[in-house]
């Protein structure tokens, strides 16, 4: 990546040493004016730093920023940009002897082209940032090096129609002529990539953890009814993780803010979890898709990633493996042991698939896949804990966090504390699981697989609940009848769904529909696509299930199998929207349009609505659904095509790729 440095001195030392060996940046006070109309930032920053060893250069990352003023301690410089290196040349040497509390301040202007996003949402503005992998320095001159930790205090000036959320505690809001200035204060240092802000129209509710930490839950004003399901279990997870990790939550508060068109599911900015608004859900959507895992993951990062930060990509698993593992523990506390082991089972399948594709990577390889960093990292911690026991594991983790808090860590730092706490030599474990890329799938498998757990009884087969670790799907191949009987007997929703996935259509009968379990019924809806007439009534009952996935599949399959009842099915599902990506509504509009004689007078209204969903006013998930269906019924008109063209430049690369390939077809 091309980077522009604020000033480049003669850089002899930098080739062999990090700037952090010479300079220690302590605090940053930044005032940012966010110009929503021109998509531009005017900033004013004051950094304080100590000089540890004599040096003649300071490097700050600031691609694309323009500077017009700079002050280093008592010396002021007016910068003539094209000649800047000459000017900075004069600063060199003299002032950079070992010393404390030096002040560097400057003004700058930037139109960020990544890491900072200006969006439109229903005729208003929204802004959010994404530092990891995209570099905060694109909007805030700072340090792309994770090892430089600074206490950042941001104050942000923006149109008073909007709320501003940033790291730390909001200490005051100053009002003046159409603008508000929001002062945020941090007490502790963090890496630059964790600095963040979000601006938009939000309401919030605050709960307090058992330990008194404010949990600030933000939501769009129009989503007040989705508030409870979206933030369900937040306090429980927070209290659980504080207790489980054994180190108090390190920051002043924990804020959660949904944003439109986010690049990932969520991001663990210090004290500020910015997440995709696709995870804002109502009670029905909650069953299939919710914020619980993402919330727990980003929350766990507040310790693993934010409090202690990996020194380099080699130790990335200390962030992602830990966040994945602790999120799973928090979910176990909510959803139970079955859930925990079935997830581990799924992670193992993902690792196995990667291995079989010849793409296994090792945990300490900075270029590992995210499957390795997240899923194998999680498995390693699960196995390590099994090996040394709860007490030693928790003691070691606690020591590791305490010893390195607000600093950077590597894998040795962690292993050392675990070895001390357990009095075990872990070199064999480290070599096998962290250094080798071999998966050792059988070692994973024996942890959830036990044949003897499935036993025959008079009435069929049963899970022997006294057998340990029976979390493994029954292989139904050649045993379909036994599997069917088993379905009626078992109340393990995960296992049942996995059984149904393996059954072929001819093995689904009236008795299979006997289950009330929503996930098992969803698997039935998915498996049975050609519906025999004797199962018609049973299948129709799926339209009443409290699951938007089930409803979407059932509506489509019923519509396709029973043309004579199309109007009935459409009437029955007319008011259902579905997830935030409007999955049910968009399918419904498409079917209503292509169903002959169905509400002919409303067809143009429905077409307008469907085409409207392709516009940038909507989130990319909605747009993608609308584009896909319009393409399938070959009805992408000029306005749809314009929107598609515009989508080919979207900041979300997956959506951009989708739009490009569809646009290529047109
Ligand atoms: Zn993560």
């Amino acid at each position: 990546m091309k980077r522009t440095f604020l000033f480049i001195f003669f850089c002899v030392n930098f080739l062999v040493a990090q700037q952090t060996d010479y300079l220690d940046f302590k605090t940053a006070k930044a005032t940012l004016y966010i110009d929503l109309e021109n998509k531009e930032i005017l900033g004013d920053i004051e950094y304080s730093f100590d000089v540890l060893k004599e040096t003649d250069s300071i490097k700050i990352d600031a691609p694309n920023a323009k500077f017009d003023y700079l002050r280093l301690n008592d010396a002021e410089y007016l910068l003539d940009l094209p000649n800047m290196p000459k000017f900075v040349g004069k600063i060199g040497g003299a002032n950079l002897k070992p010393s404390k509390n030096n002040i560097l301040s400057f003004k700058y202007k930037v139109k960020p082209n990544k890491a900072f996003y200006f969006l439109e949402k229903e005729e208003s503005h929204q802004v959010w940032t994404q530092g990891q992998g995209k570099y905060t320095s694109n909007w805030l001159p700072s340090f792309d090096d994770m090892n430089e930790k600074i206490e950042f205090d941001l104050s942000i000036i923006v149109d008073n129609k909007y709320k501003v959320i940033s790291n730390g505690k909001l200490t005051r809001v100053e009002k003046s002529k159409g603008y508000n200035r929001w002062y945020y204060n941090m007490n502790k240092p963090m890496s630059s990539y964790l600095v963040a802000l979000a601006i938009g129209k939000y309401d919030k509710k605050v709960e307090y953890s058992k330990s008194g930490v404010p949990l600030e839950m933000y939501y769009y004003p129009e989503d007040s009814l989705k508030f409870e399901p979206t933030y369900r279990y937040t306090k429980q997870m927070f209290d659980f993780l504080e207790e489980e990790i054994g180190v108090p939550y390190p920051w002043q508060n924990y804020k959660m803010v949904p944003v439109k068109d986010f690049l990932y599911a969520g991001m663990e900015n210090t004290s500020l979890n910015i997440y995709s608004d696709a995870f804002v859900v109502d009670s029905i959507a909650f069953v299939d898709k919710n914020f619980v895992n993402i919330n727990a993951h980003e929350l766990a990062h507040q310790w693993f990633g934010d409090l202690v930060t990996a020194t380099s990509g080699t130790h990335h698993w200390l962030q992602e493996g830990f966040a994945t593992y602790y999120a799973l523990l928090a979910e176990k506390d909510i959803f139970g042991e079955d859930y925990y082991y079935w997830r581990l089972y799924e992670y193992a399948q993902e690792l196995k698939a990667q291995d079989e594709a010849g793409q296994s990577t090792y945990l300490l390889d900075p270029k590992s896949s995210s499957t390795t960093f997240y899923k194998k990292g999680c498995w390693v911690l699960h196995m390590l804990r099994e090996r040394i026991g709860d007490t030693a594991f928790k003691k070691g983790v606690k020591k590791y966090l305490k010893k390195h808090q607000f600093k950077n860590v590597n894998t040795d730092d962690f292993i050392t504390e675990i070895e001390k706490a357990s009095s075990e030599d872990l070199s064999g474990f480290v070599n096998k699981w962290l250094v080798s890329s071999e998966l050792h799938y059988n070692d994973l498998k024996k942890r959830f697989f036990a044949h003897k757990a499935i036993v025959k009884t008079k009435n069929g087969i049963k899970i022997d609940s006294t057998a340990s670790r029976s979390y493994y799907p029954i292989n139904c191949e050649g045993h379909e009848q036994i599997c069917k009987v088993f379905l009626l007997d078992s109340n393990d929703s995960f296992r049942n769904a996995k059984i149904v996935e393996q059954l072929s259509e001819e093995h689904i009968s009236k008795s299979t529909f006997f289950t009330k379990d929503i996930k098992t019924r969803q698997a039935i809806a998915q498996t049975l696509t050609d519906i025999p007439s004797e199962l018609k009534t049973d299948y129709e009952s799926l339209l009443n299930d409290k699951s938007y996935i089930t409803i979407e599949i059932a509506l489509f399959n019923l519509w396709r199998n029973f043309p004579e009842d199309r109007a009935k099915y459409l009437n029955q599902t007319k008011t259902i929207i579905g997830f935030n990506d409007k999955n049910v509504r968009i399918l419904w509009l498409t079917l209503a349009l292509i169903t002959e004689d169905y509400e002919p007078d409303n067809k143009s209204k429905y077409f307008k609505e469907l085409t409207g969903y392709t516009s940038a006013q909507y989130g990319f998930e909605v747009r993608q659904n609308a584009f896909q269906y319009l393409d399938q019924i070959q009805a992408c008109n000029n306005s749809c095509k314009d929107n598609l063209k515009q989508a080919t430049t979207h900041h979300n690369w997956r959506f951009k790729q989708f739009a490009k390939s569809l646009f290529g077809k047109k």
Side-chain angles (χ1 to χ4, degrees):
M1 178 181 295
K2 182 174 160 281
R3 294 180 202 168
T4 314
F5 302 135
L6 169 54
F7 23 93
I8 307 159
F9 286 169
F10 141 133
C11 282
V12 168
N13 296 322
F14 283 8
L15 299 172
V16 289
Q18 302 283 335
Q19 173 159 290
T20 47
D21 296 339
Y22 291 81
L23 301 172
D24 180 13
F25 280 79
K26 305 277 216 193
T27 63
K29 292 193 188 320
T31 302
L32 307 175
Y33 163 66
I34 313 293
D35 184 341
L36 296 169
E37 300 307 325
N38 293 312
K39 302 188 188 335
E40 189 171 59
I41 300 164
L42 301 177
D44 195 328
I45 306 186
E46 185 184 294
Y47 275 111
S48 74
F49 66 97
D50 293 347
V51 181
L52 307 174
K53 280 190 216 164
E54 185 168 347
T55 182
D56 45 15
S57 62
I58 304 173
K59 185 193 87 178
I60 293 184
D61 297 301
N64 308 317
K66 288 193 165 62
F67 296 85
D68 62 359
Y69 165 90
L70 183 140
R71 187 183 176 98
L72 178 60
N73 293 327
D74 294 330
E76 268 184 43
Y77 302 88
L78 275 173
L79 298 180
D80 172 8
L81 255 151
N83 297 317
M84 194 171 73
K86 261 198 253 166
F87 276 86
V88 289
K90 286 184 192 165
I91 308 171
N95 289 334
L96 296 170
K97 298 250 194 301
S99 52
K100 296 249 176 215
N101 301 319
N102 296 280
I103 301 291
L104 171 71
S105 56
F106 51 84
K107 289 183 194 301
Y108 73 101
K109 192 154 95 170
V110 70
K111 270 182 186 276
N113 54 20
K114 66 171 124 172
F116 194 105
Y117 300 90
F118 291 91
L119 293 92
E120 309 297 314
K121 185 181 178 294
E122 278 138 42
E123 260 117 75
S124 57
H125 294 282
Q126 194 187 84
V127 164
W128 47 262
T129 62
Q130 169 57 35
Q132 189 169 42
K134 298 277 167 189
Y135 297 118
T136 298
S137 56
N138 282 278
W139 58 276
L140 182 76
S142 54
F143 303 88
D144 292 347
D145 178 359
M146 303 188 282
N147 296 286
E148 182 60 273
K149 291 200 172 190
I150 297 165
E151 186 196 318
F152 283 95
D153 295 330
L154 263 53
S155 89
I156 296 126
I157 302 164
V158 77
D159 185 329
N160 66 9
K161 287 202 284 291
Y162 301 96
K163 296 260 166 65
V164 176
I165 307 128
S166 186
N167 310 90
K169 187 177 172 184
L170 178 64
T171 54
R172 67 194 156 107
V173 181
E174 253 172 35
K175 297 175 193 297
S176 77
K177 292 190 215 122
Y179 289 90
N180 284 341
R181 179 167 175 175
W182 302 68
Y183 290 84
Y184 276 89
N185 171 65
M186 285 286 294
N187 289 337
K188 299 287 182 188
M190 61 173 156
S191 308
S192 299
Y193 79 91
L194 296 166
V195 181
L197 58 88
I199 299 172
K201 293 198 167 167
Y202 290 104
D203 284 338
K204 77 165 171 185
K205 289 185 189 174
V206 185
E207 261 195 88
Y208 291 85
S209 73
K210 220 166 162 182
S211 56
V213 177
L215 312 176
E216 300 183 14
M217 295 166 270
Y218 286 81
Y219 59 97
Y220 301 144
E222 67 271 22
D223 282 344
S224 62
L225 294 177
K226 294 180 178 175
F227 177 83
E228 185 283 322
T230 301
Y231 288 111
R232 197 175 287 169
Y233 306 124
T234 298
K235 180 179 148 43
Q236 182 181 338
M237 289 190 302
F238 191 98
D239 291 341
F240 170 82
L241 284 178
E242 264 204 316
E243 171 81 36
E244 170 64 36
I245 295 167
V247 173
Y249 178 77
W251 317 105
Q252 295 122 301
N253 51 37
Y254 178 54
K255 300 172 287 290
M256 294 142 272
V257 184
V259 297
K260 182 186 166 189
D261 287 351
F262 198 48
L263 298 162
Y264 309 101
M267 173 64 201
E268 71 271 20
N269 313 289
T270 309
S271 80
L272 171 54
N273 173 356
I274 292 181
Y275 69 95
S276 159
D277 62 12
F279 294 95
V280 171
V281 292
D282 63 21
S283 278
I284 296 176
F286 184 90
V287 171
D288 296 311
K289 181 179 196 165
N290 58 56
F291 180 46
V292 175
N293 181 270
I294 293 144
N295 201 0
H297 180 103
E298 311 312 341
L299 179 55
H301 270 312
Q302 300 297 319
W303 286 268
F304 305 102
D306 297 6
L307 178 61
V308 296
T309 309
T311 49
S312 71
T314 304
H315 308 286
H316 193 49
W317 82 283
L318 294 176
Q319 300 181 177
E320 297 310 340
F322 277 69
T324 307
Y325 175 66
Y326 278 91
L328 197 51
L329 290 182
E331 286 186 295
K332 180 164 94 173
D333 183 57
I334 298 165
F335 301 122
E337 285 236 311
D338 280 0
Y339 181 93
Y340 178 80
Y341 281 99
W342 279 114
R343 279 281 173 275
L344 278 181
Y345 164 79
E346 283 166 3
Y347 294 172
Q349 299 319 296
E350 222 180 288
L351 288 163
K352 191 173 161 225
Q354 177 178 265
D355 195 43
E356 283 167 358
Q359 287 164 355
S360 240
T361 41
Y362 66 100
L363 209 48
L364 299 184
D365 174 359
K367 292 196 174 79
S368 270
S369 66
S370 37
T371 299
T372 299
F373 284 135
Y374 288 64
K375 312 291 164 68
K376 189 164 183 188
C378 174
W379 258 102
V380 162
L381 292 171
H382 170 77
M383 292 186 294
L384 184 59
R385 189 183 187 137
E386 275 198 340
R387 172 169 166 162
I388 65 170
D390 283 350
T391 313
F393 183 84
K394 285 172 85 162
K395 192 174 151 198
V397 169
K398 194 171 159 177
K399 268 300 246 331
Y400 158 74
L401 285 173
K402 286 257 177 192
K403 187 168 169 187
H404 302 285
Q405 58 181 348
F406 308 111
K407 298 201 184 87
N408 296 80
V409 283
N410 60 40
T411 302
D412 272 350
D413 295 329
F414 172 64
I415 297 295
T416 303
E417 293 309 320
I418 293 290
E419 285 188 329
K420 271 194 222 160
S422 63
S423 313
E424 278 199 46
D425 173 6
L426 293 171
S427 49
F429 183 90
V430 169
N431 281 334
K432 182 169 178 181
W433 296 106
L434 277 72
V435 179
S436 158
S437 65
E438 203 184 319
L439 180 58
H440 304 291
Y441 179 73
N442 284 336
D443 283 52
L444 310 186
K445 191 172 163 181
K446 71 179 182 217
R447 289 181 155 80
F448 47 70
F449 185 48
H451 268 296
K452 63 173 185 184
I454 300 154
V455 292
K456 287 201 166 155
T457 69
K458 265 188 290 181
N459 306 320
I461 52 171
K462 261 204 164 119
I463 291 285
D464 174 5
S465 55
T466 60
S468 59
R469 296 190 203 99
S470 53
Y471 305 95
Y472 197 80
I474 296 167
N475 183 356
C476 293
E477 214 181 313
H479 308 289
E480 284 81 0
Q481 290 309 323
I482 297 180
C483 273
K484 275 180 65 181
V485 178
F486 185 80
L487 265 187
L488 297 176
D489 237 17
S490 153
N491 49 19
D492 181 340
S493 164
F494 303 96
R495 187 188 313 274
N496 288 357
K498 290 207 159 39
I499 289 177
V500 174
E501 283 164 18
Q502 296 180 64
L503 293 179
S504 47
E505 295 198 351
E506 70 264 25
H507 291 109
I508 292 184
S509 62
K510 272 201 166 320
S511 68
T512 330
F513 274 97
F514 188 73
T515 176
K516 286 194 173 58
D517 180 73
I518 212 133
K519 286 284 176 186
T520 313
R521 286 172 60 86
Q522 190 176 91
I524 295 171
Q526 264 154 347
T527 303
L528 196 61
T529 51
D530 289 324
I531 310 164
S533 54
E534 69 270 20
L535 292 180
K536 185 177 176 211
T537 322
D538 296 297
Y539 203 97
E540 282 173 351
S541 72
L542 292 167
L543 281 182
N544 299 319
D545 274 21
K546 300 257 177 270
S547 154
Y548 292 132
I549 293 181
T550 308
I551 294 170
E552 182 189 351
I553 300 165
L555 172 61
F556 179 73
N557 284 336
L558 287 165
W559 181 91
R560 201 173 57 85
N561 279 268
F562 307 107
E564 66 283 7
D565 286 327
R566 285 177 175 173
K568 180 177 95 179
Y569 302 137
L570 287 169
N571 287 337
Q572 206 181 326
T573 49
K574 201 172 197 169
T575 57
I576 304 173
I577 307 293
F579 297 114
N580 271 6
D581 68 2
K582 301 185 193 293
N583 66 324
V584 179
R585 181 64 183 168
I586 289 174
L587 170 66
W588 188 93
L589 288 167
T590 309
L591 296 179
L593 285 171
I594 60 174
T595 303
E596 254 177 82
D597 304 329
Y598 185 72
E599 299 190 9
D601 295 347
N602 287 328
K603 284 222 183 329
S604 67
K605 190 176 89 184
Y606 293 149
F607 182 66
K608 204 170 156 202
E609 184 184 339
L610 183 56
T611 303
Y613 290 144
T614 62
S615 97
Q617 283 301 318
Y618 294 92
F620 73 85
E621 301 92 343
V622 173
R623 302 176 69 191
Q624 187 158 329
N625 279 343
F627 281 129
Q628 248 157 359
Y629 280 116
L630 282 164
D631 179 55
Q632 272 172 34
I633 62 172
Q634 299 179 348
C636 189
N637 64 7
N638 285 339
S639 126
C640 162
K641 279 177 192 149
D642 287 349
N643 289 334
L644 185 61
K645 187 173 178 194
Q646 188 259 5
T648 59
T649 60
H650 198 272
H651 65 260
N652 185 302
W653 69 269
R654 276 190 210 93
F655 180 56
K656 180 168 137 180
Q657 283 313 110
F658 162 86
K660 276 186 172 170
S661 72
L662 197 59
F663 192 71
K665 277 170 64 184
K666 303 247 166 275

